[in-house]
Amino acid sequence: MLQRCVTYILLAFLGAAGLMACRPPTIEEKHDHAINVEAVKSKIRLSPAEVKWLEEHKEVKVRAGQWPPFMLTGDNITGISIDYLDIISQLHNIKFTYLTEEDISWPDTLKSIKEKHTVDMVPVIQPTAERDKFMIFSKVYQILPWVIITRSDADFISGLDDLAGKTVSIQNKFILHRALEKDYPDLKLEVINTTTPTLDSLKAVSTGHAQATVNALPVATYFIRKFGLSNLKIAAPTKFNDLQLAMGIRKDWPELAGIISKTLNAMSRDDIADINNAWLSVHYDYGIAPSTVLFWTSVAALAAFFCFIGFYTINRTLKNKVKIKTAALNQELKERIRAEEELLESEEKFRFLVENCPVPMALEDRTGRLKYFNPCFISTFGYTLKDFPTLEVGFLYSYPDPEYRAEVANRWAEAVEQAEEKGEIIRCEDLVFTCRDGNILNLDIIGMHVGEDVMTVFIDQTGRKQAEQLMIQSEKMMSVGGLAAGMAHEINNPLGIILSSVQNLKRRIDPERPANIKTASSLGTSLTSMNSYLESRGAHNYLNYIQEAAERAGDIVRNMLDFSRQNNETKTECSINVLLDKSVALAASDYDLKKRYDFKTIDIIREYKHDISEITVIRNEIEQVFLNLLKNSAQAISQSELRHFSPQIKLRTFEYDKWVVAEISDNGPGMNPTEQKRAFEPFFTTKSPGEGTGLGLSVSYFIITRNHQGEIELKSTPGEGTTFTIKLPRN
């Protein structure tokens, strides 16, 4: 009986001591240490624009919702996010005025931020591409994993697949509501539609009405701790992407977003841990207060003195062991929290670098299966992971050509194997990639092993390839230009002899010339009979053919000389609009142009920039370029076989950077890729024999690039038309 009495007394002592040791924190104990505001402020470097913004804006209207532990609305507006805003307010003297859901609903809040009135920002929001259109975001300051919560006595589960056929409580219109319906149709979802959906979904599991619920880890931990739902446990993680929280600010206040982000970056790890632990961590007192220890020790000692003196020694020994064990557990908890924070910080830095990298990046597993694209990849190529749900990475580089896809896949596999053998990075060069919009890019690809996965970096070499091709074209044109000058002079001499001989021969057989009649009579023949013979045998036609061919060859020689000659005419200032209009007038009055088509039937559309800068050029050379392009467009339009076709040439002028730009576009049949590639080559023409020399575009190319230090570009789509773009330096 005595021994039983002593046992009860000791159990009462240990129970009371345990309650004191695990009591909830008081207000004074909420933060482990005081945040040094001046230390944080010393690390912040605001830009002049941000300083000016602070001078002009003293009040910011914030919409706070009911989402513990990040936002709590009641008698006071509190929570993790509000703690951050309190520090920002102290540092920058900003007054945050809070509105709640009683003042404005969540949809109206987003509309208000978009229209820039009533609400200026929200302290908790997940950045999305849709919200990015009307809102700017601060640094992500909280990353929350999604977890599955079950009863403590529930069977072991490893993920949502193990809950097939079971009831899962989920709050209505929750961020994961639609995702669970889509990805896990075998779950029996019990939708909670109350004023406290998070708490009620947890209570449904606690009371056995549901087998599980899904929520963010800190949120679930907060409610379980606050409402004493001790029969619940965190059972397993989900496969959904972590929830990222940032502060959302109206689009026209990037300075405020910068101030908030710089303040968050300036806060130390201890400062952030202090705020988070106050709301999220399990709070312990380290040991028992001395007065409590003395009181209960006295009670135990008094009881033990009357019951059994030796029992006091056992009690002391047991208490010391508990104290040592508690201290060890607390130390281990500290180390774990520190390790988790360091890991989280490392992951955040890596994620920040990848998300903000200006180079496209993709993550794939060892088999080549795609797992992730960074934003630059999506904006550059137009693809997202949804475009490749079951396809390997080899498909990506050549979408959608299956033969080239197989070739690229083999090259990539060989590059990976060689890199592993040599211990080097993976490199695969000179690949062709088709973007979602059909644009073709030349890429070099570099791969690096990140654990079991491979991070792939895409280097766009399209510009370099185009520059190389342009350089080759320029070198070729310069070489041909040098040859053209020599050839022209060499050809001129025999051409002159041919033309003069034909002309003299025609004069010698002309029956109207007295000298010819006299000579024929002296030889006893008739010029009339001789000409009749020549006409019947077609000799006159042969002479005309010789003369026409020689004259055409002469035109080619003159163009070759223009092609190779350095023009020394004086440059003058003029308007590109005036030059275009004059070229149109010349094209409309050209005899050869009218002979093949009626230029006046073509609709000329002018889209001029009227206050455009002047250019310093050789007028007749630029007019020659414009005239060549207008002729080509008109001749191309005349070849169209479409019915009810409305011929059209569009002239457009504008300026950007250092250039004054003219565009000449037609709606003719266009050019195929081979024709586009060779368009500026000397003697290349798509016209019928005898209708063109093939030097018009070559001469135009040299006039623009060599004589005026400009650029000329060609873009054409078969069946849709052709556009020539001429860029000239502005004054």
Side-chain angles (χ1 to χ4, degrees):
M1 187 67 181
L2 179 61
Q3 184 177 359
R4 183 180 300 174
C5 181
V6 173
T7 302
Y8 288 160
I9 293 172
L10 289 175
L11 288 174
F13 162 72
L14 292 174
L19 288 173
M20 290 298 292
C22 296
R23 73 186 190 280
T26 62
I27 295 176
E28 292 76 11
E29 296 167 326
K30 179 178 177 182
H31 296 296
D32 293 336
H33 75 284
I35 296 176
N36 190 336
V37 176
E38 292 302 322
V40 176
K41 189 173 184 178
S42 65
K43 300 178 184 178
I44 301 173
R45 297 291 182 269
L46 299 181
S47 66
E50 291 167 345
V51 173
K52 183 179 179 182
W53 188 92
L54 287 173
E55 293 173 353
E56 297 175 351
H57 302 82
K58 297 300 182 182
E59 181 181 8
V60 177
K61 296 178 181 178
V62 183
R63 199 278 192 180
Q66 183 67 14
W67 198 53
F70 296 96
M71 296 183 294
L72 293 88
T73 58
D75 296 336
N76 295 312
I77 308 297
T78 58
I80 292 177
S81 303
I82 308 306
D83 283 356
Y84 280 116
L85 290 181
D86 289 344
I87 293 172
I88 294 169
S89 176
Q90 294 180 47
L91 286 169
H92 305 293
N93 196 26
I94 301 174
K95 179 183 178 183
F96 291 107
T97 302
Y98 294 102
L99 305 173
T100 67
E101 56 191 4
E102 295 180 356
D103 302 311
I104 184 171
S105 66
W106 177 246
D108 289 341
T109 296
L110 296 180
K111 180 179 179 182
S112 175
I113 291 178
K114 184 175 183 180
E115 296 175 355
K116 305 177 183 64
H117 67 81
T118 308
V119 178
D120 301 320
M121 66 173 286
V122 290
V124 180
I125 194 168
Q126 181 177 19
T128 64
E130 182 65 27
R131 292 169 177 170
D132 189 54
K133 297 177 182 178
F134 62 89
M135 184 182 295
I136 190 169
F137 303 100
S138 73
K139 167 195 174 183
V140 173
Y141 63 91
Q142 199 72 240
I143 299 177
L144 312 181
W146 297 106
V147 295
I148 304 169
I149 300 98
T150 65
R151 285 171 60 99
S152 301
D153 56 359
D155 294 336
F156 171 78
I157 64 169
S158 60
L160 287 169
D161 291 328
D162 295 340
L163 293 173
K166 297 183 179 181
T167 302
V168 177
S169 61
I170 193 75
Q171 59 195 73
N172 190 29
K173 296 182 181 179
F174 194 40
I175 190 170
L176 288 183
H177 186 177
R178 300 303 177 207
L180 288 172
E181 286 183 333
K182 177 182 177 183
D183 297 343
Y184 297 92
D186 293 335
L187 299 181
K188 296 180 180 179
L189 296 182
E190 179 183 355
V191 180
I192 305 298
N193 190 10
T194 64
T195 57
T196 56
T198 301
L199 176 59
D200 292 339
S201 63
L202 290 169
K203 285 183 176 180
V205 179
S206 177
T207 58
H209 288 89
Q211 278 72 51
T213 185
V214 179
N215 215 314
L217 176 58
V219 177
T221 302
Y222 174 84
F223 277 94
I224 290 172
R225 171 183 160 193
K226 179 175 178 64
F227 294 97
L229 303 175
S230 58
N231 66 333
L232 298 184
K233 67 177 180 180
I234 307 301
T238 69
K239 295 182 179 179
F240 295 115
N241 292 333
D242 295 343
L243 177 62
Q244 298 188 15
L245 302 183
M247 297 190 184
I249 301 101
R250 49 192 279 185
K251 195 76 171 180
D252 61 335
W253 282 5
E255 298 85 357
L256 178 56
I259 293 168
I260 293 175
S261 295
K262 289 180 179 179
T263 304
L264 295 174
N265 286 330
M267 296 178 68
S268 69
R269 185 184 306 166
D270 289 337
D271 295 337
I272 295 173
D274 180 49
I275 293 175
N276 290 340
N277 290 338
W279 295 96
L280 302 177
S281 299
V282 178
H283 197 282
Y284 293 96
D285 283 336
Y286 299 107
I288 305 171
S291 59
T292 304
V293 173
L294 179 60
F295 173 77
W296 288 104
T297 301
S298 300
V299 172
L302 183 61
F305 176 79
F306 288 102
C307 299
F308 189 72
I309 192 65
F311 217 89
Y312 176 75
T313 305
I314 298 174
N315 177 66
R316 294 283 294 179
T317 303
L318 181 60
K319 188 186 71 171
N320 288 335
K321 288 183 178 181
V322 171
K323 186 175 181 180
I324 294 171
K325 186 65 175 178
T326 302
L329 289 174
N330 285 332
Q331 185 63 31
E332 181 181 353
L333 179 61
K334 279 186 176 181
E335 293 297 330
R336 288 190 178 185
I337 292 175
R338 185 181 297 110
E340 290 176 358
E341 290 174 350
E342 291 176 353
L343 178 61
L344 179 61
E345 182 179 1
S346 176
E347 290 177 350
E348 287 179 350
K349 288 181 179 178
F350 179 75
R351 184 184 296 272
F352 177 81
L353 290 174
V354 172
E355 293 287 340
N356 293 277
C357 181
V359 178
M361 302 176 72
L363 186 68
E364 59 195 73
D365 61 22
R366 302 279 292 191
T367 65
R369 183 101 22 208
L370 294 168
K371 299 173 67 176
Y372 168 79
F373 294 156
N374 73 338
C376 183
F377 182 100
I378 297 172
S379 62
T380 301
F381 302 130
Y383 295 114
T384 67
L385 282 178
K386 294 180 179 179
D387 296 306
F388 304 96
T390 60
L391 301 176
E392 295 184 357
V393 72
F395 187 89
L396 175 67
Y397 300 153
S398 54
Y399 183 91
D401 183 354
E403 293 183 3
Y404 188 68
R405 177 171 71 246
E407 176 189 340
V408 172
N410 292 333
R411 289 177 59 186
W412 180 249
E414 292 175 1
V416 172
E417 184 177 351
Q418 293 176 3
E420 289 180 345
E421 290 178 356
K422 299 179 181 180
E424 300 174 348
I425 63 174
I426 308 166
R427 182 179 292 274
C428 200
E429 300 179 343
D430 197 21
L431 297 175
V432 178
F433 175 46
T434 304
C435 300
R436 188 185 186 93
D437 59 3
N439 190 28
I440 305 296
L441 299 180
N442 294 97
L443 300 175
D444 288 349
I445 304 174
I446 298 174
M448 294 159 285
H449 288 289
V450 181
E452 292 297 321
D453 299 326
V454 177
M455 179 65 76
T456 309
V457 180
F458 301 81
I459 310 299
D460 187 358
Q461 300 289 3
T462 307
R464 180 179 64 81
K465 290 283 185 182
Q466 292 174 346
E468 289 177 353
Q469 293 176 358
L470 183 60
M471 186 179 299
I472 293 171
Q473 175 74 2
S474 297
E475 292 293 335
K476 182 164 54 175
M477 297 283 280
M478 291 179 66
S479 300
V480 173
L483 293 172
M487 290 174 61
H489 288 293
E490 291 296 329
I491 294 173
N492 259 337
N493 292 329
L495 278 180
I497 294 172
I498 293 172
L499 283 171
S500 62
S501 298
V502 170
Q503 290 172 357
N504 286 330
L505 184 58
K506 284 185 173 182
R507 293 176 62 187
R508 295 296 171 88
I509 62 176
D510 186 355
E512 302 297 330
R513 290 182 175 272
N516 295 344
I517 297 172
K518 180 180 179 180
T519 302
S521 298
S522 66
L523 296 175
T525 185
S526 169
L527 279 179
T528 303
S529 298
M530 185 179 69
N531 273 287
S532 297
Y533 169 78
L534 292 176
E535 286 183 6
S536 65
R537 297 295 291 168
H540 287 297
N541 291 335
Y542 294 144
L543 291 175
N544 291 333
Y545 293 155
I546 293 172
Q547 186 173 14
E548 288 178 3
E551 289 174 351
R552 183 168 178 272
D555 291 337
I556 294 175
V557 169
R558 282 191 294 275
N559 283 331
M560 290 173 65
L561 287 173
D562 290 340
F563 179 74
S564 60
R565 184 182 298 122
Q566 179 69 41
N567 197 317
N568 295 320
E569 292 187 30
T570 303
K571 294 182 178 181
T572 58
E573 291 186 357
C574 56
S575 169
I576 197 169
N577 296 343
V578 173
L579 294 178
L580 272 172
D581 286 339
K582 187 174 180 181
S583 300
V584 171
L586 289 172
S589 61
D590 185 81
Y591 173 78
D592 195 44
L593 202 63
K594 285 184 177 180
K595 187 177 180 181
R596 292 171 172 82
Y597 45 80
D598 187 358
F599 191 87
K600 295 179 181 179
T601 63
I602 300 175
D603 186 15
I604 305 298
I605 300 175
R606 294 173 171 84
E607 295 181 359
Y608 292 168
K609 183 178 187 296
H610 296 291
D611 57 345
I612 199 167
S613 301
E614 291 195 337
I615 51 177
T616 301
V617 296
I618 301 173
R619 286 175 175 266
N620 63 340
E621 287 192 349
I622 301 302
E623 289 173 0
Q624 178 185 351
V625 171
F626 289 157
L627 183 59
N628 283 342
L629 298 180
L630 288 168
K631 280 185 176 183
N632 286 346
S633 294
Q635 290 169 358
I637 289 173
S638 68
Q639 297 172 6
S640 177
E641 299 178 356
L642 297 176
R643 296 182 179 179
H644 309 295
F645 174 69
S646 298
Q648 185 182 96
I649 295 178
K650 181 183 291 186
L651 308 179
R652 181 169 174 254
T653 61
F654 59 94
E655 57 184 319
Y656 77 93
D657 196 17
K658 65 177 182 179
W659 303 108
V660 172
V661 184
E663 286 185 354
I664 300 177
S665 304
D666 64 64
N667 59 348
M671 304 169 67
N672 61 45
T674 301
E675 293 171 344
Q676 294 179 47
K677 189 174 182 179
R678 300 188 58 193
F680 294 108
E681 291 184 4
F683 306 109
F684 175 77
T685 179
T686 59
K687 300 173 184 176
S688 302
E691 293 188 7
T693 65
L695 286 172
L697 288 181
S698 301
V699 173
S700 300
Y701 178 87
F702 261 77
I703 289 174
I704 296 299
T705 60
R706 186 179 63 180
N707 295 354
H708 293 85
Q709 293 74 49
E711 297 178 2
I712 181 169
E713 298 174 356
L714 161 65
K715 291 184 179 179
S716 182
T717 302
E720 296 183 10
T722 302
T723 298
F724 284 92
T725 302
I726 300 96
K727 302 178 183 177
L728 295 167
R730 64 181 178 185
N731 293 348

